[in-house]
Amino acid sequence: DTGVSQDPRHKITKRGQNVTFRCDPISEHNRLYWYRQTLGQGPEFLTYFQNEAQLEKSRLLSDRFSAERPKGSFSTLEIQRTEQGDSAMYLCASSSSRPNPQGVTDHSYEQYFGPGTRLTVT
Amino acid sequence: AQSVAQPEDQVNVAEGNPLTVKCTYSVSGNPYLFWYVQYPNRGLQFLLKYITGDNLVKGSYGFEAEFNKSQTSFHLKKPSALVSDSALYFCAVRDETGGSYIPTFGRGTSLIVHP
């Protein structure tokens, strides 16, 4: 397994168009997260899945944004009727809990990020 | 509620000198603390974390971080900086008892290591 992958890496679209991004997490990870990052800021949480269930959504996630993880593996993030303010880097991350060699499960869930999709809305 | 602050937008250090990147946090319960590094046009890469136990945590690439509960800090350190350490560094916190699995990230600190 080579880590979290995202496709496409770059997307340029005109205002008003719809775009869809894909994320493939690390295969054994059951948790998947979407973030948005703009210049000079840290990642801002958008939404989170545990397996196929979408468990949390940020208030940042307007009605134009929708995310799915239909089989608990890859996920898609769709933005409808894009606006110039949607221009950002969209990051996907995955995590899981697993026992250490002593059999104790670590619930810290450090995240492993993909390379991101840079969206430019013109 | 949970929050994290990185008080320095930029840290400059000469190659071979020790470096420190500062982070302070606020949580209601016990913190899980993380450091990530981001190179240009790349996603974030996990460096190290504090869960419990030893206050000094060692991570990748020779980095370490010191957890200080009384000062609510988790500063990132390295004894001898390399030019290749130049990158954006993000601190993140998650409240162990908060019921959410979502960490809060700081705004990031740009580390510049001069040859």
Side-chain angles (χ1 to χ4, degrees), chain A residues 45-59:
Chain A
F45 169 71
L46 293 177
T47 190
Y48 149 66
F49 291 85
Q50 180 172 323
N51 300 313
E52 65 275 10
Q54 188 174 18
L55 296 186
E56 284 191 54
K57 289 196 293 186
S58 164
R59 286 170 292 179

Side-chain angles (χ1 to χ4, degrees), chain B residues 84-103:
Chain B
S84 58
D85 292 330
S86 299
L88 268 175
Y89 290 81
F90 292 94
C91 182
V93 67
R94 184 166 76 78
D95 191 332
E96 179 193 16
T97 56
S100 171
Y101 293 100
I102 311 306

Side-chain angles (χ1 to χ4, degrees), chain A residues 25-110:
Chain A
I26 294 172
S27 57
E28 64 267 29
H29 284 184
N30 62 342
R31 297 170 191 266
L32 186 148
Y33 313 76
W34 284 100
Y35 291 88
R36 181 170 65 188
Q37 185 181 24
T38 53
L39 196 63
Q41 301 293 325
E44 296 175 299
F45 169 71
L46 293 177
T47 190
Y48 149 66
F49 291 85
Q50 180 172 323
N51 300 313
E52 65 275 10
Q54 188 174 18
L55 296 186
E56 284 191 54
K57 289 196 293 186
S58 164
R59 286 170 292 179
L60 290 175
L61 210 65
S62 77
D63 292 343
R64 297 183 297 106
F65 287 69
S66 62
E68 294 182 340
R69 194 183 183 198
K71 298 181 179 179
S73 55
F74 74 91
S75 175
T76 57
L77 177 69
E78 181 183 17
I79 309 175
Q80 295 182 327
R81 304 181 303 281
T82 52
E83 302 173 357
Q84 287 188 322
D86 297 332
S87 296
M89 177 77 88
Y90 290 84
L91 296 170
C92 174
S94 68
S95 70
S96 185
S97 62
R98 57 189 179 277
N100 64 17
Q102 290 73 43
V104 178
T105 299
D106 177 353
H107 291 285
S108 62
Y109 296 104
E110 77 265 16

